[in-house]
Amino acid sequence: MIIYNKVSKIYKNDTKPVLQNVNLEIKEGEFVTFVGYSGAGKSTLLKMIYAEEMPTSGEVYFHKKKINDLKKRYLPKHRQQIGTVFQDYKLLTQKNVWQNVAFAMEVAGKTQAEIEEDVPQIIDIVGLKSKIDKYPEELSGGEQQRVALARALVNRPKVLVADEPTGNLDPISTWEIMQLLLKINEFGTTIMLATHDKGVVDRISKRVISMDKGKVIRDDLKGKYCI
Amino acid sequence: MWLQFKRTFKSAVNNVKHNIWLALSVTSVIAIALFIINIQLANIVANDLLLADLENRVNVSVYFKEDVSKDKVQEAEKVIKEFPEVERVTLISREETLEKFNKTHSKNKTLQEVVDVLGENPFGDILNIKAHNTDDYAKITEKIKSANFNNSIDNVNYEEHQDVIQGLGREIKNSQKFTIVLGIILSGIAILVTFNTITITIYTYRRAIEIMKLVGASNLYVTMPFVWEGFLYGSIGAIIAIITSYFYLHFLANGGSSDTLLFLSSSKFIQQFLGEYFTKHLFLAIGFQLLLGTFLGVLSSLIAIRRYLKK
């Protein structure tokens, strides 16, 4: 489903590569965890899926489509197929829970009827039914991340990219988010998770890709946190 | 497309409600900018009216000697009417002049006695000449002086007024130039301030723009709410500007202080401006204002948002 072929990346005004000749294949329905020190290249690798970064050399494929060649006008459509969750939640502060989730459907051109059917359902799944009218600033970190997760899932994406989604959360909220990610994966969504949390990685026992200095150093199908 | 329009408009209204103070400040800046532009425009038109009025007052009077016959005067009148520079010629007979003189000076016994002593009408016929163009008076005077009826003429009075009239015209024309330059500078500043205010507003939204794009919003979808916001600020600002401009001009027209920096023309011509232009073309004025306001708001938004859409 996702293929990285000899991918290298050097940022502008930088001499050291953040990614060096990375070769990876991720199959549909997989739950893949990326671990490594800060600066190992995990985030850059994930950003290439939703075309926020492009490789300096090599190719990235999503459903056999080469992302490198993606024209700017197709970028919104491409991103609508991918759910993204970040450490800092990236919620729209001007919009309440309902509006934040609905926004993802609005930009995808869904009708009002579809929105009114799907949004409450997904908010219910992430357990925020009682906070539907609240604004991000009125929510805890864990709750905000659940809103972000609901927004990422509402368009039923094929893949969910989660970059340190539990980085700012307490252990209980962390585990709640992980439970949700596992559940989503069970329904067939491919999950790509970058994390520093050893406890999380060890407990879920899924495929672990360890990275260091821009290279993949380990790739275990049922791995533990090991760098 | 219609759905996008509706959704982005709703989003803009939501933003305005959420950031009401910011919205108020942008709207006020646009209103002030348009107000300044309005007053400068009104001033330019009022000065034009003043110039036209002055030009209308200028004429040349040809005074004939008192013993010149009516026929000769009428002949001269015919000749002058043929001059291409002349718009119209009015004959004021010596009898009318005497009557007018008597009326004006009916209380002045000394003057009355002088006329009585003379025993006859001391005035000659007068031809009042109005030219198409103020600059032509010198030429007309020259032509009259070289005409064959020149020896019947007692006096041509243009030379006496010439300096005053030309001087005043020059003064007004200079003041008009100053008004236009001042208007351009003030309007330029007002537009820049508006643009800057909107740029700052959009800067506060830069994170939201980044998020919208990550969620998969197209550039158009990200831009539209800001365009709508610009439209709302511009149109509300325009309505405020046209109301305040009207009342300010009305205040000046009714003898309010006209020595302000923003208004150099006298109240009479502002009144004329309000009556002849503003009220008559009210819808045009409102339309122009709305167009300018929304253009200012929308264009500023479009320019300001461009840099955040590159990714």
Side-chain angles (χ1 to χ4, degrees), chain B residues 138-311:
Chain B
K139 216 174 180 180
I140 294 171
T141 313
E142 279 310 306
K143 279 188 176 176
I144 292 169
K145 279 185 178 164
S146 57
N148 56 2
F149 52 82
N150 183 32
N151 46 12
S152 314
I153 294 171
D154 185 31
N155 187 16
V156 179
N157 83 336
Y158 174 63
E159 283 160 31
E160 291 167 22
H161 296 165
Q162 189 177 12
D163 290 344
V164 181
I165 288 164
Q166 282 184 345
L168 209 53
R170 254 199 314 274
E171 284 291 316
I172 294 167
K173 275 182 186 157
N174 280 341
S175 123
Q176 184 76 320
K177 270 184 211 155
F178 172 72
T179 310
I180 291 170
V181 171
L182 184 75
I184 290 170
I185 292 172
L186 283 177
S187 306
I189 292 171
I191 289 167
L192 279 178
V193 170
T194 307
F195 174 68
N196 251 359
T197 314
I198 289 181
T199 308
I200 292 165
T201 311
I202 289 183
Y203 179 77
T204 63
Y205 283 116
R206 68 197 184 287
R207 205 178 126 79
I209 294 169
E210 179 207 343
I211 296 169
M212 288 175 182
K213 297 217 67 184
L214 277 177
V215 175
S218 63
N219 278 353
L220 185 71
Y221 205 94
V222 175
T223 313
M224 280 309 282
F226 295 102
V227 170
W228 282 125
E229 264 187 72
F231 172 79
L232 286 174
Y233 297 147
S235 49
I236 297 170
I239 292 166
I240 296 171
I242 203 147
I243 295 170
T244 47
S245 305
Y246 179 78
F247 282 108
Y248 181 64
L249 290 173
H250 199 74
F251 162 73
L252 292 178
N254 289 317
S257 167
S258 58
D259 297 329
T260 54
L261 178 68
L262 286 173
F263 225 105
L264 305 159
S265 207
S266 75
S267 55
K268 183 186 159 194
F269 298 101
I270 305 162
Q271 214 159 23
Q272 202 180 340
F273 167 76
L274 280 177
E276 284 184 16
Y277 289 77
F278 198 85
T279 321
K280 265 192 194 163
H281 306 291
L282 189 65
F283 288 108
L284 193 75
I286 292 172
F288 167 72
Q289 203 76 161
L290 281 173
L291 204 72
L292 197 65
T294 51
F295 180 74
L296 209 65
V298 170
L299 192 74
S300 304
S301 299
L302 279 176
I303 294 172
I305 202 170
R306 266 183 52 189
R307 76 174 75 169
Y308 301 110
L309 293 176
K310 282 184 184 145
K311 268 199 172 175

Side-chain angles (χ1 to χ4, degrees), chain B residues 80-107:
Chain B
I80 294 169
K81 265 184 181 165
E82 296 294 310
F83 294 171
E85 298 87 356
V86 171
E87 191 189 322
R88 62 168 188 271
V89 181
T90 323
L91 169 69
I92 302 163
S93 69
R94 50 200 298 249
E95 294 75 20
E96 279 174 66
T97 314
L98 180 65
E99 204 180 310
K100 203 173 164 193
F101 178 87
N102 284 337
K103 238 184 218 169
T104 320
H105 303 289
S106 60
K107 282 178 188 161

